[in-house]
Structures are given as C-alpha cells and as structure tokens.
Amino acid sequence: MTGTVAGAKAGVERVWTGGCACGGVRYEITTQPGPISFCHCGQCRRQHSHVGAYTTFPRGALRVVQEDTLAWYASSDRARRGFCSRCGSGLFWEGEGNPNVDVTAGSLDEPTGLRADRHIWIDFKEDYYDLPDDGLLRRASTDPDNHSKTET
C-alpha cells in the first residue's frame, strides 16, 4: 500500500480500526498488527465462548477514540481484559509490564489483511473440539515462545 489512508496521520500508511458490537468502544491501530494467534487457555475460552483470536502490536500504537462503555476486568494478577460494558464484546488483553497489547481479531473492521500463524496454550484446549491440521505453529503453555507476537 502506498500513500496514506484518508484521515491517517502523516507517515502512517494504514490505520486499522475496530470496536465493539454496539459502537460504545472504537479504536485505531497505527502500526502493522502482528499475525493472529488462536489462544486455547481457559480464560480465553470463557471470555469468548470458544478460543480467543488476537493480534499483537506495541501499546503506543493503540488509540481508543470512543470509550463510553469500555470496562476492564483483572483476569489474573498479571493481566487485565478490556470489554464493552453494554454489549459484552471482548476487545483487549494487556499484560502487566508488557510493552505490547493484544486486540481481539473479531473486533477489527474489515479488511484486516491479517493471517493466523499459531495456536497457543494448546495443552489447555477443551475436550469438545480437535485442533485442525491447519499447518500453523502449536505452542503449549510451557513453551517459552507461547505468546502472541508482533510482526518483525
């Protein structure tokens, strides 16, 4: 892509946008988001009613432009999740001290241009489904590379 998108800041080739189902929360991402990671941990399954799908990028590239209904839940002693308090859409995952932020892939406006590259926390997947033979990397919870990643 060349040039800038209408409304984008100078020097930014593309701004990705997204938000919740009801429009109470809207955001912009001003850098290339990383590939999509499918997370099979228990918290993601409960939050999303199945696996979580996230893209990761530097925290400074996220700008929340509408936050009337944005709420936060401390899902552990090391992370919190952002969601819409009106429609319940899951939107963000932030690890304490982590320079990156994760955004739910389903909350992005189309077209995203993103592709998945891994399944993470696969040893916590539920028994009601099988992992597809999709050619993506698979990482267990004990794997040192068990996380979403930013584009390098």
Side-chain angles (χ1 to χ4, degrees):
M1 174 181 271
T2 59
T4 58
V5 175
K9 296 167 186 59
V12 176
E13 289 189 14
R14 171 160 181 199
V15 174
W16 284 260
T17 60
C20 67
C22 73
V25 181
R26 296 288 303 161
Y27 62 83
E28 296 176 344
I29 303 168
T30 59
T31 192
Q32 171 72 47
I36 304 298
S37 295
F38 295 116
C39 183
H40 298 269
C41 80
Q43 288 186 6
C44 282
R45 286 185 287 103
R46 285 178 182 88
Q47 177 76 30
H48 304 289
S49 187
H50 193 44
V51 301
Y54 296 93
T55 182
T56 303
F57 49 88
R59 186 180 305 265
L62 176 66
R63 181 171 168 253
V64 179
V65 295
Q66 176 73 34
E67 58 184 311
D68 293 348
T69 57
L70 179 59
W72 292 93
Y73 166 66
S75 57
S76 72
D77 60 355
R78 65 176 194 90
R80 67 183 190 153
R81 294 172 184 267
F83 65 97
C84 176
S85 64
R86 182 170 43 217
C87 68
S89 296
L91 301 165
F92 310 115
W93 184 92
E94 292 185 340
E96 185 175 312
N98 190 330
N100 297 320
V101 63
D102 290 1
V103 167
T104 57
S107 70
L108 288 164
D109 296 332
E110 293 182 44
T112 69
L114 303 176
R115 293 287 179 251
D117 80 338
R118 65 184 53 206
H119 293 273
I120 59 176
W121 289 75
I122 62 169
D123 48 328
F124 281 83
K125 79 162 209 56
E126 191 56 82
D127 63 356
Y128 67 86
Y129 67 96
D130 294 318
L131 284 176
D133 185 14
D134 55 12
L136 302 181
L137 293 171
R138 295 173 184 219
R139 299 289 187 239
S141 61
T142 56
D143 190 306
D145 194 29
N146 180 35
H147 53 79
S148 298
K149 69 176 191 177
T150 56
E151 196 70 63
T152 54

